[in-house]
Amino acid sequence: MSVTQTQTLTPSMKRQRRADMRRNALYLVLIAIGLVAPFVAYPVFLMKVLCFALFACSFNLLLGYAGLLSFGHAAFLATGGYITGYLLASHPGLTPELGIIAGTLVAVALGAVFGALSIRRQGIYFAMVTLALAQLVFFVYVQSPFTGGEDGLHGVPRGHLFGFISLSSNLAMYYFVFAIFLIGFAIIQRAVHSPYGQVLKAIRENEPRAVSLGYNVDAYKWVAFILSAGLAGLAGSTKTVVFQLASLTDAHWHMSGEVILMTLLGGVGTLFGPMVGAGIVVSLQHLLAQSPLGNWVGPILGVIFVVCVLSFRSGIVGEILKSYRKNFK
């Protein structure tokens, strides 16, 4: 940029440039941390955190930016996992990236159907419709022979990425999962900061005003629902390849409750909040499961959730951002 162009920048434009530079620097730091993380912590644990972080980010796209509270998001996580697991287990020659793409596409299709059936409802009615549809999917997976029913789908091979990179090593698998997470996060970041994302925020804040401006709010929310479902399916597909199994746990309504907990704990409507919330919840589950309090994981997480919601209404990241804006801007 030339000197003349720099001098013509308004104060607001300069602030925006500085904010963009800080955000890009933060992204680079986090990517660097992600690259060295498997040499510091157990890679399988990190992969679980990344899968659930992507799942929470997909849910946050729906709740935090479109204002739609879904109680059935676990259906898409499980759909991606089951489809990917079944294809990889029944077709040994299929590469893992193709299995993951297939699981994601089926989750997108399911999201399109669910969205078309529920998107015209609002508030608690929307939430109840999504819960009912998710429970229908749960019972389908219980009865379907290809899922293994209550036993789950075991023995899913990790295979070879692109046909020649073995994923049997946890380190190689970690970097594959990390790349998938970055792709999913980049899609969300681009959608949120695009004109489409600005319209979504306007619909969340004041839907009647968005309608009066001529926007087809149902179409915008439907696209957000499909995108959120696809990313949740991507998380489920990746998780199945990592742990080499798909189970009914991913389809249960408890999983939908967990992703709500992760998102609210980290901060609804923030890009990094769901990641932080997922990391905290998965870490607590891991630590508590290995302690004498292993049978009390649910109640303990519930208490933590209540305390955090009462103390940090905007979530952990949300409160940090509010404090930063108040004291440094």
Side-chain angles (χ1 to χ4, degrees):
M1 184 176 291
S2 66
V3 176
T4 304
Q5 289 176 314
T6 304
Q7 292 174 345
T8 59
L9 290 176
T10 64
S12 62
M13 293 172 65
K14 292 179 180 178
R15 286 195 298 270
Q16 184 60 44
R17 283 190 63 198
R18 288 194 294 267
D20 291 341
M21 291 175 63
R22 287 193 296 267
R23 185 171 61 244
N24 292 335
L26 179 60
Y27 288 157
L28 291 175
V29 170
L30 292 176
I31 290 173
I33 292 174
L35 291 174
V36 301
F39 300 101
V40 179
Y42 186 42
V44 175
F45 170 75
L46 294 175
M47 287 187 278
K48 183 177 181 180
V49 171
L50 288 174
C51 291
F52 279 105
L54 180 58
F55 183 37
C57 287
S58 73
F59 178 78
N60 182 56
L61 177 64
L62 196 62
L63 176 61
Y65 295 97
L68 298 172
L69 175 60
S70 170
F71 282 165
H73 227 57
F76 310 119
L77 180 78
T79 296
Y82 273 124
I83 297 301
T84 297
Y86 175 74
L87 290 176
L88 293 179
S90 59
H91 299 82
L94 190 68
T95 55
E97 72 276 5
L98 293 180
I100 289 174
I101 291 172
T104 303
L105 291 177
V106 174
V108 166
L110 185 66
V113 175
F114 276 26
L117 294 173
S118 61
I119 210 69
R120 289 181 175 81
R121 307 294 182 267
Q122 294 182 347
I124 191 63
Y125 302 103
F126 173 84
M128 289 298 101
V129 170
T130 56
L131 176 61
L133 292 172
Q135 286 300 100
L136 176 63
V137 170
F138 174 81
F139 287 114
V140 168
Y141 289 150
V142 170
Q143 300 296 330
S144 298
F146 82 94
T147 65
E150 295 182 354
D151 295 328
L153 186 62
H154 298 271
V156 178
R158 288 185 176 181
H160 290 72
L161 183 63
F162 305 123
F164 63 90
I165 302 176
S166 176
L167 296 180
S168 58
S169 165
N170 284 333
L171 190 61
M173 188 73 227
Y174 169 81
Y175 285 116
F176 178 48
V177 174
F178 185 56
I180 290 176
F181 172 79
L182 290 179
I183 292 171
F185 183 81
I187 292 172
I188 294 172
Q189 195 269 350
R190 184 68 188 92
V192 167
H193 290 96
S194 68
Y196 168 77
Q198 300 305 312
V199 175
L200 272 187
K201 295 175 187 176
I203 294 172
R204 178 196 64 192
E205 297 297 329
N206 195 324
E207 185 171 331
R209 180 175 293 179
V211 173
S212 68
L213 291 174
Y215 293 110
N216 186 345
V217 297
D218 286 342
Y220 276 89
K221 291 192 290 186
W222 188 53
V223 172
F225 197 102
I226 294 173
L227 181 58
S228 179
L231 291 170
L234 177 62
S237 297
T238 307
K239 179 174 173 289
T240 291
V241 176
V242 170
F243 294 100
Q244 299 182 272
L245 64 89
S247 68
L248 287 174
T249 303
D250 292 342
H252 202 275
W253 65 268
H254 285 171
M255 185 60 70
S256 296
E258 280 191 20
V259 75
I260 295 174
L261 168 62
M262 294 173 185
T263 306
L264 293 179
L265 184 60
V268 177
T270 63
L271 283 174
F272 294 107
M275 297 166 52
V276 173
I280 292 174
V281 170
V282 173
S283 298
L284 285 173
Q285 288 176 338
H286 178 73
L287 293 173
L288 292 173
Q290 296 179 337
S291 71
L293 300 175
N295 294 327
W296 294 84
V297 173
I300 292 173
L301 287 177
V303 171
I304 293 173
F305 172 65
V306 171
V307 171
C308 290
V309 169
L310 293 176
S311 304
F312 309 103
R313 298 296 296 275
S314 302
I316 295 172
V317 174
E319 291 294 332
I320 293 174
L321 291 176
K322 285 170 62 176
S323 177
Y324 173 79
R325 295 189 187 105
K326 180 179 178 181
N327 298 303
F328 299 99
K329 282 193 174 184

